Amino acid sequence: MITVESELRSKSVGNQTWKEIQQQPSLWPTTAQRVDTAIAEFQLDSKLKAARVVITGAGTSAWAANSVSPAWPKSRAVPSTDLLVETERYVDDMDVLLSLARSGNSPESMAVVDRVHKLRPDIRHLAVTCNLQGALATSPLVSAIVLDPRANDQSLVMTSSFSNLVLGGLCLTKNEKVKSSISKAVLNAQKSIPEINQKMEKLARRVEDRILLLSSGAMFGWA
């Protein structure tokens, strides 16, 4: 039975998700700027240039890692759950561990950092996260890049957090290319979102059960 309270709650969650979807393009320049500042602060240009990087994340953030990896030479994406139980398999071929995380509080996120540090204290730990108070952002073992707090999605679905985590990872490896194209990307996205929403509304009215997304290569994580 659907009560008035549950219907209002559903609408509230939906409105929050829609707000977070729409705000994405306005946040992308702030992400690029914060990563640019961190590159200078942590002197990452030289340290990441030839580094072997493992990019990790928990849950949906693992798919963000999967989306970044194809653009990053000498990198591989490994979900934090896999990395935690098979750490020895990866540490010998790792110079940098890059954690992508919305909250940074998933138990396996810090467990991976702690385990890698115990096995190889020389490995550099970086994180791109949306939560200033999260465990990753506050860990003394991690050089954290904290994104605009608006990217810390409050709804169940990761939207702002996902695209900004991916963008943050891309900025770390393709910073100049991202900076030169971000204004155009913002304008294109702001123009496209209303049109995409109209098409999705029409599609949703036709679908009774589920939608299957097909993709491969660099777009697989986005799908």
Side-chain angles (χ1 to χ4, degrees), residues 20-21 24-25 27-28 31 64 147 153 158-170 222:
E20 290 165 354
I21 290 171
Q24 290 178 91
L27 296 183
W28 295 341
T31 291
L147 304 184
D153 292 329
M158 283 179 61
T159 53
S160 285
S161 52
F162 184 89
S163 68
N164 281 279
L165 289 173
V166 173
L167 179 62
L170 294 177
W222 285 98

Side-chain angles (χ1 to χ4, degrees), residues 14-49:
N15 289 339
Q16 182 66 31
T17 302
W18 177 230
K19 173 187 174 183
E20 290 165 354
I21 290 171
Q22 287 182 297
Q23 74 182 3
Q24 290 178 91
S26 65
L27 296 183
W28 295 341
T30 72
T31 291
Q33 181 57 56
R34 289 182 182 224
V35 175
D36 194 44
T37 300
I39 289 173
E41 179 184 351
F42 300 138
Q43 300 178 338
L44 296 179
D45 265 337
S46 59
K47 293 174 182 175
L48 294 179
K49 198 166 188 179

Side-chain angles (χ1 to χ4, degrees), residues 192-203:
S192 299
I193 284 177
E195 180 182 350
I196 292 171
N197 185 51
Q198 289 178 356
K199 291 181 178 180
M200 290 300 99
E201 284 182 341
K202 290 180 181 178
L203 181 61

Side-chain angles (χ1 to χ4, degrees), residues 15 19 25 34 43 46 51 53 59 66 71 100 103 108 120 126 129 161 179 189:
N15 289 339
K19 173 187 174 183
R34 289 182 182 224
Q43 300 178 338
S46 59
V53 181
N66 184 278
L100 304 183
S103 71
E108 60 267 40
R120 284 273 311 277
L126 297 175
T129 179
S161 52
K179 286 197 294 186

